[in-house]
Amino acid sequence: MRGMSETPRLMTRTFAHLSDEAVVAMLARSDESALAELYDRFGRVAYGLALRILRDERLAEDAVQEGFLAAWRNADRFIPERGKASTWLLTLVHRRAVDLVRREDRRRAEPLTDGVDAPSSGSAEDDAWLRFERERVQSALKQLPDQQREALELAYYGGFTQSELAERLGEPVGTIKSRMFTGLARLRELLADPRPGEAAWKPTPYTT
Amino acid sequence: MEADALHDLTAAYALNALDAEDAGRYEAHLARCQRCQSELAELSESASALAYAADAPRPSPELRSRILEQARSERPNVVPLRPRWLRPVIAAAAVAACAAIGLGLWASSLSGKLDRTEADLARQQRVAQILAQPGSHKIAFSRGTLVVGADGKGALLLNQLAEPGSGRTYEAWVADGGAPQPAGLFSGGTTVAVPLDQPVRAGATVLVTEEKAGGTEAPSRAPFLIVRNTAQS
């Protein structure tokens, strides 16, 4: 009989109040429920990312699975001082997707808007939130100079290395590096505006 | 590669846009360069925001269960986890005692501390009484066992638990359809036996938090352990 494999009501409520970082801390204690919670929070975004890169549902699911299992195995290496848990997790999934796309040689370089365009079919709340985030990031991307946006998209969604990009675009590697750096730094500023309704997490007293 | 050239790889690394060789060199540099660590934290956050710009259809429902199943199959019985759990150091004597009694945690706690106080002994006696009850349930989890006697008295047996921070204590709680009730204070150890001051009925949940010394009336932070009594009453 297992005490941890179910999701009792109290646990659901408790987790709902936990920050992503607190959930990863529980993951580091090999708590399966923490893994389930992380998947419920980020599984869909992670899959969307992997699908954008790999353009194949089976490979995308493989990348998501490997990314989440890497998080499961290495949660004790997560250092909250060095970044958000969501960044850490999405970086792991991204790395698996990029490794796979390079191995399978499936890389293509089409603009983001030509990506997989599946109709979303989730809960209204999920959909609204994801649509909001998507529009926010896409609008920030659109504000970047073309060359910076191109470098970021080809690297992040295309899986090209900086050397491959330099060759492809006929530019010195130094130019590519600088476009990536400036693009990411500018994106950070554009995204820095606080989101409406978002408050910092703090411990929440039990309400029952 | 010069340090300056390595600094310049931060954005590409954040985008996973380095080949394996450059990535390896950068990681070696990163381990000792604070400037790169903080720059990477910022650039990685921007890079991962790009994930949200992709359309997000739902993966197949089986993906979730596949991941959880695989994780479960990989869960080791004794893992070195930081910072709360100590690395496993199991003395031969403790292993022998485990085999003898059949409940490793409790057994090795008997052979553990030399400076055992009377209070410790009293706690262990309370735990022993629960264990001795016919029909007591044991609910195993990754780092220990929750034992519940037929009379609803419960105890937590925890393995390889690091001491709490200075001026702090661990506090156990039992939640049974309401706010968690304080169920005892304890500290760390190779094995720790914690008799719970609250009954643990079927369906109740036992939680553990780290609190300031002396304990609190309600959990002030996230529990690092949550175990539900899944035994049928």
Side-chain angles (χ1 to χ4, degrees):
Chain A
M1 209 172 308
R2 307 183 74 96
M4 309 285 282
S5 57
E6 298 180 9
T7 308
R9 275 172 54 237
L10 173 69
M11 192 184 287
T12 309
R13 285 204 305 274
T14 306
F15 274 34
H17 291 127
L18 291 186
S19 68
D20 298 337
E21 288 67 32
V23 177
V24 171
M26 300 188 72
L27 197 64
R29 286 159 189 131
S30 296
D31 185 330
E32 274 167 44
S33 313
L35 186 62
E37 176 71 21
L38 267 195
Y39 182 84
D40 292 341
R41 291 187 191 188
F42 298 108
R44 199 166 153 192
V45 169
Y47 177 69
L49 171 63
L51 191 59
R52 174 73 184 84
I53 295 168
L54 286 154
R55 295 151 193 274
D56 176 280
E57 290 172 7
R58 191 184 57 79
L59 289 173
E61 291 199 351
D62 286 351
V64 172
Q65 178 164 350
E66 287 178 31
F68 274 81
L69 287 169
W72 171 251
R73 293 170 198 137
N74 301 311
D76 60 328
R77 293 191 211 156
F78 169 68
I79 304 170
E81 291 75 24
R82 289 202 202 159
K84 298 196 297 188
S86 56
T87 297
W88 172 74
L89 180 66
L90 289 171
T91 302
L92 289 174
V93 172
H94 181 257
R95 189 170 299 155
R96 296 310 181 283
V98 161
D99 284 349
L100 264 180
V101 83
R102 286 177 191 161
R103 199 186 314 152
E104 302 276 323
D105 204 20
R106 295 180 59 87
R107 284 176 293 181
R108 283 190 285 163
E110 290 155 24
L112 179 63
T113 42
D114 288 0
V116 178
D117 205 13
S120 47
S121 61
S123 76
E125 200 180 318
D126 272 7
D127 284 349
W129 166 250
L130 286 171
R131 198 179 322 120
F132 174 74
E133 280 297 280
R134 184 161 65 241
E135 282 165 11
R136 198 171 75 93
V137 179
Q138 283 182 351
S139 111
L141 261 176
K142 282 191 192 115
Q143 293 175 60
L144 294 181
D146 288 347
Q147 290 179 330
Q148 289 173 21
R149 185 175 58 248
E150 178 186 51
L152 294 188
E153 289 187 352
L154 286 173
Y156 194 76
Y157 305 117
F160 292 96
T161 65
Q162 60 174 16
S163 324
E164 290 168 332
L165 275 188
E167 193 174 328
R168 188 182 179 93
L169 299 174
E171 303 275 6
V173 174
T175 305
I176 301 299
K177 282 182 192 166
S178 126
R179 283 180 193 167
M180 286 178 176
F181 176 84
T182 320
L184 283 181
R186 177 78 187 117
L187 195 61
R188 182 178 166 78
E189 292 168 10
L190 290 166
L191 292 171
D193 302 328
R195 299 167 206 182
E198 188 183 56
W201 175 83
K202 43 184 181 306
T204 311
Y206 293 82
T207 50
T208 50
Chain B
M1 201 178 289
E2 299 284 319
D4 273 352
L6 286 164
H7 288 314
D8 285 349
L9 295 183
T10 305
Y13 185 80
L15 291 159
N16 284 322
L18 292 177
D19 58 37
E21 196 185 329
D22 282 347
R25 270 203 294 256
Y26 180 79
E27 281 169 0
H29 166 76
L30 183 69
R32 16 171 243 279
C33 177
Q34 278 217 314
R35 186 182 121 193
C36 281
Q37 285 168 18
S38 53
E39 192 169 88
L40 179 64
E42 294 188 354
L43 296 180
S44 295
E45 200 177 318
S46 302
S48 69
L50 291 169
Y52 288 87
D55 208 344
R58 288 185 174 262
S60 68
E62 293 78 33
L63 178 59
R64 185 182 194 272
S65 38
R66 274 211 305 277
I67 291 173
L68 294 178
E69 239 164 68
Q70 178 71 25
R72 197 172 303 141
S73 76
E74 285 181 13
R75 181 158 69 191
N77 291 319
V78 183
V79 215
L81 293 175
R82 294 181 303 267
R84 194 58 55 220
W85 302 99
L86 302 172
R87 286 176 183 277
V89 183
I90 302 175
V95 173
C98 291
I101 298 187
L103 186 63
L105 298 158
W106 167 242
S108 47
S109 80
L110 287 172
S111 63
K113 290 180 187 169
L114 294 171
D115 59 343
R116 201 178 297 147
T117 63
E118 282 190 23
D120 282 338
L121 279 171
R123 290 154 73 96
Q124 299 203 348
Q125 272 169 5
R126 283 173 64 194
V127 175
Q129 280 163 7
I130 296 166
L131 284 169
Q133 286 179 26
S136 66
H137 295 287
K138 299 181 187 74
I139 295 133
F141 50 94
S142 58
R143 309 296 312 194
T145 307
L146 169 67
V147 187
V148 183
D151 60 1
K153 285 184 183 158
L156 269 182
L157 303 163
L158 300 172
N159 205 3
Q160 309 290 343
L161 182 66
E163 293 298 331
S166 107
R168 307 194 68 84
T169 181
Y170 294 123
E171 185 158 11
W173 309 86
V174 177
D176 191 5
Q181 300 299 312
L185 305 178
F186 59 101
S187 51
T190 314
T191 55
V192 184
V194 187
L196 298 167
D197 297 339
Q198 302 283 338
V200 185
R201 282 190 288 267
T205 303
V206 178
L207 308 101
V208 178
T209 59
E210 190 181 321
E211 302 291 349
K212 64 177 193 298
T216 58
E217 286 306 301
S220 71
R221 41 167 79 186
F224 66 85
L225 178 70
I226 302 176
V227 197
R228 185 171 179 235
N229 178 11
T230 51
Q232 303 296 312
S233 51

